[in-house]
Amino acid sequence: MARSDINRSGEIEVFVHVVEAGSFSAAARALRMTPSAVSKLIARLEARLGARLVSRSTRKLQLTPEGSAFYESGLRILADMAAAEREAAAGAAPRGRLRVNTYVPFGVHRLIPLLPRFLERYPEISVDLVLTDSVIDLMAERADVAIRAGQLGESRLVARKLGQSRMVVVAAPSYLGARGTPRLPAELDRHNRLAFGFARYSDGWPFADGTSFTVPVSGNAMASDGEAMRLMTIAGAGIARLARWHVQPDIAAGRLVPVLEDFNPGDVEPTHAVYVGHGKHLPARVRAFLDFLGESVRLT
C-alpha cells in the first residue's frame, strides 16, 4: 500500500473501538462496518507495524504488550486530534487539559508560583501537574510537557531550553559547626555526602584545581528529589550539591553556606521543557504554555 493511501487516524480509531468494544463484531456494529472489514483493517495495521496487536487464540479478545502500548498512544493521538479540531474551530484559542510533569524543585519554586498568572491569562486551560524527579515517558504518562534538569540524552522529543544554573556544594551552619568545614575536596571523606536515590548523570561530584577530578558520593542518607535534598541539608543531615538557583535564597538567608567554592569547576545544569511535536502542529494549549515559560522563567 502506498504511504499516501494509508489513513492512519482511521486505523487508530478502528483499533481503539475494537479494544473498547472487546470484539471485532461489536466494534463493527458501532462503526457501521462489517466484521470482516474490521478484521482486515486490523490485520493490515499489524502487517504494516510488523507486530501482533491482538491475540485471536481465545474467544475473548486480548491485547499483546505491543497492542497495549499502541492503544495508549492511540488514545492520546485521537484526543490531541479532537483538541486540535476544537481549537481550530474556535480560532485556535488555547483551551483544554494541559498535562505537565516537572522535576520537584522547579515545580515548587518556579512553576507553582507562576500558575495563577498563567491560568488567569488562559482561563479555558486546566492544568494537571505532576511533580517528580524521575524521568518519565511522555507517551506512556500522556504528558503534554515535561520539564527536566540536566543534560538530555538522545530522543525524538523536542526540547526548549528554559535556562541554566551553576552547581554549588552547600551545608547548614549547624552541620559545619558540629563537623567542621572542609577546606579541600579530599577532606570530604570525613563528611556525610548526601546522595539521590535514583540514577544521576554523574556518579560523583566534580572539582577542579588545575585538573578535573570527581569525589564519590557516600553518606548515610538519600533523597528522592532535589527539594527533599535541600530540606535535609538545611536540617543539618550532611553536605549536598545542588543547583545554585535552587538554594540561593537559603544562602542569602544564612540557612546554607557554600563550601569548596575555590574548587568549583563552574559546570552548569540546564533546564529544558520537552514535548512531542513541533511548530504549527503543537496544540494551542501546549504552545501557549511553552511561550509563557519562555517569558517568565529565570534560572541564571
Side-chain angles (χ1 to χ4, degrees):
M1 178 179 289
R3 185 180 182 90
S4 60
D5 293 335
I6 299 173
N7 181 357
R8 286 177 168 77
S9 62
E11 288 180 341
I12 293 171
E13 185 174 7
V14 170
F15 178 72
V16 167
H17 270 86
V18 167
V19 174
E20 295 181 345
S23 70
F24 289 173
S25 58
R29 287 193 297 272
L31 295 168
R32 297 184 179 180
M33 299 171 63
T34 65
S36 62
V38 171
S39 179
K40 289 178 181 178
L41 187 147
I42 299 301
R44 188 166 64 244
L45 174 61
E46 290 176 324
R48 182 166 60 80
L49 297 177
R52 178 63 63 88
L53 302 178
V54 295
S55 173
R56 301 169 177 81
S57 60
T58 63
R59 300 181 69 178
K60 181 181 179 181
L61 184 145
Q62 292 183 331
L63 290 177
T64 64
E66 294 78 9
S68 295
F70 190 76
Y71 171 69
E72 292 298 327
S73 297
L75 284 177
R76 180 192 174 106
I77 290 169
L78 293 176
D80 284 345
M81 288 175 58
E85 290 176 352
R86 289 194 301 269
E87 290 166 0
R95 66 180 66 220
R97 187 179 183 188
L98 178 72
R99 299 177 178 88
V100 180
N101 185 290
T102 176
Y103 68 103
V104 179
F106 186 91
V108 170
H109 295 282
R110 287 294 187 270
L111 183 54
I112 290 176
L114 292 172
L115 274 182
R117 182 153 58 91
F118 176 76
L119 294 172
E120 182 179 7
R121 183 182 299 183
Y122 301 105
E124 296 187 72
I125 293 179
S126 62
V127 175
D128 182 350
L129 179 63
V130 175
L131 274 61
T132 175
D133 274 23
S134 298
V135 176
I136 61 126
D137 182 326
L138 263 71
M139 295 298 291
E141 298 294 329
R142 302 181 67 187
D144 293 304
V145 179
I147 301 171
R148 295 176 177 168
Q151 301 297 331
L152 297 177
E154 291 295 324
S155 172
R156 289 179 293 178
L157 298 173
V158 183
R160 180 181 293 190
K161 189 174 181 179
L162 300 178
Q164 63 185 25
S165 177
R166 287 180 68 246
M167 303 298 291
V168 61
V169 178
V170 292
S174 60
Y175 174 88
L176 297 175
R179 302 285 295 271
T181 299
R183 304 300 178 185
L184 299 171
E187 295 177 9
L188 287 173
D189 286 343
R190 301 195 296 270
H191 288 271
N192 200 34
R193 286 152 281 162
L194 303 179
F196 285 100
F198 55 86
R200 305 292 286 175
Y201 290 108
S202 172
D203 58 1
W205 294 349
F207 293 98
D209 61 355
T211 60
S212 299
F213 59 96
T214 61
V215 173
V217 181
S218 177
N220 61 9
M222 304 176 77
S224 64
D225 60 75
E227 182 64 5
M229 177 73 75
R230 168 183 163 269
L231 294 174
M232 288 169 58
T233 309
I234 291 172
I239 299 177
R241 188 171 189 267
L242 294 163
R244 183 90 188 199
W245 76 263
H246 185 192
V247 295
Q248 183 56 40
D250 301 309
I251 293 172
R255 292 185 292 269
L256 292 175
V257 177
V259 297
L260 299 171
E261 276 293 88
D262 289 343
F263 301 91
N264 191 323
D267 60 318
V268 297
E269 180 181 74
T271 291
H272 293 87
V274 297
Y275 52 96
V276 180
H278 55 85
K280 63 183 180 181
H281 300 297
L282 277 178
R285 68 185 186 279
V286 176
R287 187 166 55 250
F289 182 66
L290 293 171
D291 291 344
F292 178 82
L293 289 178
E295 73 180 48
S296 304
V297 173
R298 299 292 181 267
L299 295 181
T300 52

